[in-house]
């Protein structure tokens, strides 16, 4: 049996309550949660309601601890290298603002870097005088490793890229970047928001020092969850920009001691229900197998593209040789926001991506606001056909 056919789609859809009501093609925004994720959160909220928040956390301490092990297994890391956070932005910021920069240092990034990350670069440049430099793309539109290698010198302090950009459908060569970073001894921060839950991830193979990810996208976890991976060797030198008595216990009147593990990047207060939901989502993905998920996502993405290419006035805006389950396009003469609104009225969820979400890439390619369709393994071919039929109807009437 090939990877595409390994998954029991009917069973997976039955396990996903939202599929009974809508065609959900916005998994790059937030996926529909499966039943075990929903149950894990509800069960804990019920426990909090009956026993109290602190008491419920104590009762579920072992299950909460197991979430770290599940996330570690997902990315081939150690439990002590994982911090759980409120979202991917917090995870990424905790990693970035722990870096020490000074005037003349260089940050290297990709042209399709996400806005949330790039504005942090700009703030750091304003504060410290660090420079931000964009690595050129190759002929496919992905980051060019040869160009990156040519830019390396002793002033490069950080390589920070988004593995799968928010639009464009490309997968940047994360492992090739890691080889260059290791060769030059430069810290490598990888934004894996759109990758986790969609691709197999092995941080040892990638060679990143830091990786930030979310729970709500292709991992199918709840909103308000994320995690940070910190390579064990980095823990000897990294201190969070902000700490509390969880990440850095107060051990003397004038002393604190940072935790020896990645949880130094956490704070004491946590949403335990959401974390248990994240753990359930990770276990669900691991149970299905990331190779099978990847194959199914590619199959559905190919189907979306083939159907869109048949429609009049449609322009695909995808890049890259390696493809993600994100399809970006625009329809000549029609506003993307209006099309999304009309599809929403027809119980079809898609998203839009505005130029300022990836300003450098959008400016270089003169991108309009694009429609973004992101299928996941639980979507059916029939759903994609219904989406395309609806879109064709909108185009014909517009």
């Amino acid at each position: 049996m090939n990877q595409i056919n390994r998954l029991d789609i009917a069973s997976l859809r039955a396990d996903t309550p939202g599929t009974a009501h809508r065609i959900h093609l916005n998994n790059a925004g937030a996926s529909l949660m499966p039943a075990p994720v929903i149950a894990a959160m509800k069960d804990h909220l019920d426990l909090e309601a009956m026993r109290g928040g602190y008491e419920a956390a104590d009762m579920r301490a072992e299950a909460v601890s197991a979430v770290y092990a599940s996330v570690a297994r997902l990315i081939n890391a150690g439990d002590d290298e994982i911090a759980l956070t409120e979202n991917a932005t917090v995870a990424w910021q905790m990693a970035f603002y722990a870096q020490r920069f000074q005037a003349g240092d260089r940050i290297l990034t990709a042209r399709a870097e996400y806005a949330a990350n790039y504005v942090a670069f700009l703030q750091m440049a304003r504060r410290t005088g660090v420079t931000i430099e964009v690595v050129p793309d190759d002929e496919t539109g992905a980051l060019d490793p040869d160009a990156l290698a040519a830019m390396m010198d002793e002033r490069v302090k950080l390589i920070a890229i988004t593995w799968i950009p928010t639009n464009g459908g490309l997968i940047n060569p994360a492992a090739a970047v890691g080889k260059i970073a290791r060769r030059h001894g430069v810290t490598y921060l990888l934004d894996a928001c759109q990758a986790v839950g969609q691709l197999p991830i092995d941080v040892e193979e990638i060679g990143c020092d830091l990786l930030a990810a979310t729970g709500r996208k292709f991992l199918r976890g709840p909103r308000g969850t994320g995690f940070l991976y910190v390579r064990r060797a980095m823990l000897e030198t990294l201190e969070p920009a902000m700490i509390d008595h969880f990440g850095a216990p107060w051990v003397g009147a004038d002393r604190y001691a940072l935790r020896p593990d990645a949880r130094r990047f956490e704070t004491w207060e946590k949403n335990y229900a959401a974390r248990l939901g994240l753990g359930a989502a990770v276990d669900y993905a691991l149970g299905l197998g990331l190779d099978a998920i990847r194959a199914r996502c590619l199959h559905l993405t190919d189907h979306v593209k083939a159907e869109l290419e048949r429609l009049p006035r449609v322009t695909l805006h995808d890049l890259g040789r390696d493809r993600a389950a994100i399809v970006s396009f625009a329809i000549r003469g029609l506003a993307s926001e209006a099309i999304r609104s009309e599809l929403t009225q027809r119980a079809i969820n898609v998203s839009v991506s505005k130029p300022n979400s990836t300003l450098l890439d959008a400016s270089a390619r003169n991108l309009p606001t694009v429609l973004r369709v992101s299928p996941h393994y639980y979507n059916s071919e029939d759903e994609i056909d219904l989406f395309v039929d609806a879109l064709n109807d909108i185009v014909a009437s517009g």
Side-chain angles (χ1 to χ4, degrees), residues 121-141:
F121 301 153
L122 293 171
Q123 184 185 57
M124 190 60 70
R126 182 179 295 176
R127 286 180 179 178
T128 67
V130 67
T131 62
I132 312 161
E133 299 176 38
V134 177
V135 180
D137 293 335
D138 64 17
E139 67 280 0
T140 74

Side-chain angles (χ1 to χ4, degrees), residues 43-58:
D43 288 349
H44 191 76
L45 289 174
D46 287 342
L47 189 61
E48 286 189 349
M50 298 304 295
R51 301 296 292 268
Y54 286 19
E55 292 76 10
D58 288 342

Side-chain angles (χ1 to χ4, degrees), residues 236-264:
E236 299 174 5
T237 59
L238 280 188
E239 178 164 334
M242 295 171 288
I243 55 175
D244 79 351
H245 60 300
F246 177 83
W250 194 11
V251 297
D254 59 354
R255 290 185 301 116
Y256 62 86
L258 288 169
R259 288 182 60 117
D261 56 18
R263 296 184 215 187
R264 67 177 57 178

